[in-house]
Amino acid sequence: MIEIVCADITTLEVDAIVNAANTSLLGGGGVDGAIHAAAGPVLLDYCRTLDGCRSGEAKLTPGFDLPARRIIHTVGPVWKGGGHYEAPLLTACYRNSFEVALHYGVRSIAFPAISSGVYGYPKEQSAEIALSVMLEYEDRFERIIACCFSDRDAGLYRSVLKSLRVTQ
Ligand code: AR6
């Protein structure tokens, strides 16, 4: 079951939230900054032990002070015009996050719109990738939440999901 919500992902009570991190895993701005601020400084200490994360891969930490039990950190591609493996890398972010989640028994998971902020991925194309992979995994989770950060983004997600379901 895929739910599209407009919310601050740090407030969601789910088994795991996904972080749109960078390769250092040592924090940053955007959703990454919000997650580190809400989880507390012990998250940074834990992340220092992980030796970073490559683009497309995913690593798990506890949620610490968050309502979510766990955080799955993934690193989206920086948009460079579309000819630099951005689409397969973004697809890998969602797939690898789901695979890590399944491995740890996660039943409810929330994703931000990975790469669609500072990393500049065009919003509609990133929504198509996000929702296509969510549809692949829909039957294996109780809740999959696409957590948008504006009503406009949530509207885009709703229309993309509708068209993907029609063509399925
Ligand atoms: N809850 C949900 N979504 C959010 C929140 C939030 N609290 N805050 C922002 N968003 P971005 P990226 C949305 O830039 O493009 C960091 O510095 C935002 O509106 O956070 O993958 C990292 O350290 C956008 O739709 O991530 C990296 O260096 C989406 O989250 C870099 O940014 C992603 O925007 C990663 O860039």
Side-chain angles (χ1 to χ4, degrees):
M1 158 103 176
I2 298 171
E3 299 165 44
I4 295 164
V5 304
C6 180
D8 175 352
I9 201 165
T10 64
T11 64
L12 299 182
E13 292 181 27
V14 284
D15 292 342
I17 62 169
V18 175
N19 183 17
N22 58 61
T23 54
S24 76
L25 291 187
L26 300 181
V31 70
D32 192 12
I35 288 172
H36 274 267
V42 67
L43 173 60
L44 183 57
D45 295 338
Y46 194 101
C47 285
R48 285 189 211 284
T49 69
L50 296 180
D51 197 26
C53 183
R54 281 185 291 198
S55 183
E57 294 184 351
K59 291 190 176 179
L60 181 126
T61 69
F64 298 107
D65 292 344
L66 287 173
R69 253 187 92 209
R70 303 174 192 273
I71 307 165
I72 296 168
H73 304 261
T74 189
V75 181
V78 177
W79 179 257
K80 293 178 188 159
H84 293 79
Y85 304 101
E86 292 95 329
L89 284 169
L90 188 58
T91 304
C93 284
Y94 285 95
R95 288 219 180 103
N96 286 327
S97 296
F98 274 125
E99 291 298 329
V100 168
L102 286 171
H103 182 79
Y104 285 93
V106 166
R107 303 289 298 137
S108 55
I109 183 166
F111 287 85
I114 300 162
S115 281
S116 77
V118 176
Y119 281 0
Y121 210 109
K123 290 210 178 243
E124 186 162 353
Q125 291 175 53
S126 73
E128 280 166 6
I129 289 174
L131 291 162
S132 301
V133 183
M134 287 177 193
L135 285 167
E136 282 174 30
Y137 283 86
E138 195 177 20
D139 295 341
R140 284 185 265 173
F141 289 83
E142 270 163 27
R143 297 177 76 193
I144 297 174
I145 299 174
C147 180
C148 297
F149 206 44
S150 69
D151 288 331
R152 195 187 171 137
D153 287 354
L156 172 69
Y157 263 65
R158 285 196 186 97
S159 75
V160 169
L161 182 58
K162 204 170 161 187
S163 55
L164 287 174
R165 284 207 195 279
V166 169
T167 54
Q168 234 185 358

